[in-house]
Amino acid sequence: MISTQALTGIALVAFGMVLSPGPNMFYLVSRSVTQGRRAGLISLLGVATGFLCYLVAATAGLATLITVVPALYTTLKLAGAAYLAWLAWCALKPGGTSVFAPQPLPPDPPRKLFTMGLVTNLLNPKIAVLYVSILPQFVDPGRGSVPAQSLELGLVQIAIAVTVNGLIALTAGTIAGFLQERPAWLRTQRTVMGLVLAGVALRVATA
């Protein structure tokens, strides 16, 4: 139901946002580095549940947002573009702290790991902006059911976010050691991520 252009657009947004340091990445990396891969993956289950909560809420509300309040939709779209541009600037500006140099955390039991992963995602402003401001602009009412398109787009984003975060959780210790010895690689990653986010921000603003 969704177009190839919309699929590509949401995939680029998902990749750019999941690779930009934020609460989810900091928490998952910190847990994986300080408590091991299993703790990181349990935390990731909580994060994934948070994504599903946002998706259910977005799917239920986007149809009304798009068809009843088009002016608000345009405002949200521009706000989403501005937020992506800000993330691009954060990635490209000089300085900044690497997510792979997290602060040590005390060990937590599995239930708390899951709960903290869930709460961290639900309170993550980056994810709220994604579902409220960015995802709606890839929905085309002319292609059929708005809730169905929202669901498809959201599942694409969740699949990418969970896959990338899972790989990060499994390899956080190795990546941290690698980047500490090779700062040029970290700068390259931030540059590529920033350029992708800037390009998507421009597309969102001008579409």
Side-chain angles (χ1 to χ4, degrees), residues 111-190:
R111 179 178 295 181
K112 186 173 182 180
L113 290 171
F114 176 88
T115 302
M116 288 303 298
L118 171 62
V119 172
T120 298
N121 199 18
L122 290 178
L123 299 180
N124 186 350
K126 182 168 66 173
I127 306 305
V129 168
L130 169 64
Y131 278 93
V132 173
S133 300
I134 299 174
L135 187 144
Q137 66 93 24
F138 292 105
V139 175
D140 181 3
R143 298 186 66 89
S145 170
V146 170
Q149 290 183 66
S150 303
L151 180 62
E152 291 179 39
L153 291 167
L155 289 176
V156 170
Q157 181 271 327
I158 291 174
I160 292 172
V162 171
T163 299
V164 174
N165 277 319
L167 292 173
I168 290 174
L170 289 172
T171 60
T174 303
I175 294 175
F178 178 86
L179 292 179
Q180 285 177 359
E181 298 176 358
R182 299 169 179 83
W185 283 77
L186 180 59
R187 289 193 298 270
T188 300
Q189 178 266 330
R190 292 176 61 190

